[in-house]
Amino acid sequence: MISNNNSSCSQQTKFNLVQVKGTWIRQSDQFQLAEGKLSDAKIYENKSEHGVSWTVVSPVVFTYRVIQCKNILDPTNDTLLWGHLGEEELKHTLSNCKPPKRFVVIDENVNKLYGSQVSQYFKARGVVYKILPLPTTEENKCMELVTKILEEVHEFGIDRRSEPIVAIGGGVCLDVVGLAASLYRRRTPYIRVPTTLLSYIDASVGAKTGVNFAGGKNKLGSYVPPVAAFLDCSFFQTLPPRQISNGMAEMLKELTQCCADRYGMCSSAGMALMKHRGLFELMETEGRKLLHTKLQVCKTRPEQEDSATAIIRIAIETMLEELAPNLWEDDLDRLVDFGHLISPEEYCQHCFTERQSTSICPSWYMWPSKRDFSQ
C-alpha cells in the first residue's frame, strides 16, 4: 500500500504471524509460504526515504471466571483448589504426580475467623500451602505490604503459571495481592475470595490492582484480572452491620437514574449508572430485611429465586456489563466512578468509610437538579 505523507512517499506492508515448527515467522497477505498457527498479532512495515519503521498490533485478551458457590471452605468442595481451571486444564493438572502448592494471603481479622478452616481445607486436600495473615487496612495499603508478600512468595516458591496466589479478604487485601501477583515474575496468576459484601460485588470482579502512594489513593497499580473470583456469601454472616450497609450503598449507586425517573429529578450523563429498575424495587421493598439477615439465602421454594440471591446476582451482572468492555479504562468516562468526584476528600476528613462517602455524593449531585435557581 502506498500512502503520501506531505511531500514524502511511504510504502506500508501488513504481515501476519504464523508459528511453524516452534518458531514465529511473518508472512504478507500476498505470499503465504507456510501453514501453521496464526496469531491475532500483526506487524506493519513502513518504508520511506527516511528509513524503515514497524508498527506492532498485538491484542491482549484476558479470560477470567467469576463463580458463585456455597461452602467454599468445605474440603469436599473443589472450587477453591480447582475452580479456576477448565476441563482440559484440570485433566492435565491432575495427571501431575506432584502435590499442588498454594500461597494464601489472608486479612488478619478474617484469619481469626476462618484461618483454621482454610488450613483444614488444604490439609484435607493434600496441598502444600502457606498462609500469610496481614493487616490489610486502608492505612496499610502501601508498597511495603506488596514487598512483604513478594518476599514470602519467593521464599515459599511457586510455579508462576500453574500455582495461583490466593487472596482472602476485603477490597484492600484483593487489591494489594493482585498488585503483588502482577509484579512477581511479570505476572503470576491469582485468585480472589472476597469476604465483604462490597468486595464481593466490586473489587473481586474487575481487573484493577493498586496501593496508595505519595498521599494519593491507588496511585500505583496495574490492570491484571485474577484467573478467578470465588464468591461465597456465607462470609457475610460474620460482618458487622456497617459493612453490610457499605456494600448495599455500592448497589444503590446503580439506582440513581431510577430515583431520578421516579422522583422527577433531571438526570445527567453521570447519573446514567442506573441499569436495572428491578434492582431498585427489590432494595426498596426488601432492603431492611436484607440488611438484617446479612443477605443470607432463605429459599422457601427451590424453583424460585429469593431476594438475596437476586439482588447479588443483578449487582454482579450490571457491574460486569460495565467493566468487561472497558477493562483497561481506555474510556475514562466510566459510569462505575459515579460518586467518586468529592468522596475522597469526605472520607479522609470525616468518619465516613469510602463507600459511605460515594453513596452520599450522588445525593449532593442530585440536589441541585431539583432546585429552581431561576429565582
Side-chain angles (χ1 to χ4, degrees), residues 67 69 127 129 132 148 160-161 193 239 265 278 283 349 359:
I67 300 175
C69 59
V127 176
Y129 69 95
L132 177 64
K148 172 67 174 175
R160 65 170 175 158
R161 290 292 174 261
V193 182
L239 291 176
M265 301 175 188
M283 294 196 72
Q349 295 180 19
S359 63

Side-chain angles (χ1 to χ4, degrees), residues 217-244:
K217 183 172 171 57
N218 294 324
K219 281 288 184 72
L220 301 180
S222 62
Y223 295 97
V224 179
V227 289
F230 301 143
L231 314 181
D232 184 352
C233 64
S234 64
F235 287 114
F236 304 162
Q237 296 176 79
T238 52
L239 291 176
R242 190 182 191 189
Q243 288 284 345
I244 300 294

Side-chain angles (χ1 to χ4, degrees), residues 212-375:
N212 303 333
F213 176 73
K217 183 172 171 57
N218 294 324
K219 281 288 184 72
L220 301 180
S222 62
Y223 295 97
V224 179
V227 289
F230 301 143
L231 314 181
D232 184 352
C233 64
S234 64
F235 287 114
F236 304 162
Q237 296 176 79
T238 52
L239 291 176
R242 190 182 191 189
Q243 288 284 345
I244 300 294
S245 64
N246 287 345
M248 294 182 72
E250 176 66 25
M251 295 181 189
L252 281 169
K253 282 175 52 181
E254 301 171 9
L255 307 179
T256 306
Q257 180 64 56
C258 189
C259 292
D261 293 343
R262 178 168 293 197
Y263 300 113
M265 301 175 188
C266 66
S267 59
S268 65
M271 293 184 182
L273 188 54
M274 167 55 198
K275 297 171 62 105
H276 207 293
R277 180 176 292 273
L279 180 58
F280 173 83
E281 292 171 347
L282 263 177
M283 294 196 72
E284 189 176 40
T285 58
E286 302 286 333
R288 189 177 296 275
K289 184 184 82 172
L290 292 171
L291 180 60
H292 178 70
T293 60
K294 299 185 177 181
L295 284 91
Q296 296 306 295
V297 175
C298 182
K299 280 195 175 183
T300 54
R301 299 180 188 174
E303 73 281 359
Q304 191 174 30
E305 188 177 47
D306 69 289
S307 57
T309 302
I311 201 170
I312 292 173
R313 175 184 57 78
I314 295 169
I316 292 172
E317 286 174 355
T318 54
M319 183 65 76
L320 288 174
E321 285 171 353
E322 291 299 321
L323 295 179
N326 190 29
L327 206 58
W328 320 122
E329 296 186 359
D330 295 316
D331 181 2
L332 294 178
D333 186 14
R334 300 180 343 118
L335 298 178
V336 294
D337 286 338
F338 181 52
H340 285 266
L341 180 63
I342 308 170
S343 61
E345 292 294 328
E346 286 303 310
Y347 77 79
C348 286
Q349 295 180 19
H350 303 286
C351 295
F352 298 135
T353 65
E354 177 189 1
R355 205 51 53 177
Q356 286 171 326
S357 298
T358 55
S359 63
I360 291 170
C361 281
S363 301
W364 293 346
Y365 299 159
M366 293 170 70
W367 177 79
S369 70
K370 208 179 174 188
R371 301 279 295 176
D372 183 3
F373 292 99
S374 62
Q375 299 178 358

Side-chain angles (χ1 to χ4, degrees), residues 2 6 10 24 30 46 116 140 142 151 159 174 184 196 206 209 287 292 326 331 348 368:
I2 306 293
N6 296 331
S10 62
W24 291 95
Q30 292 82 7
N46 201 72
S116 61
N140 295 324
C142 59
E151 289 171 347
D159 185 292
L174 306 187
Y184 188 69
T196 65
T209 75
H292 178 70
N326 190 29
D331 181 2
C348 286

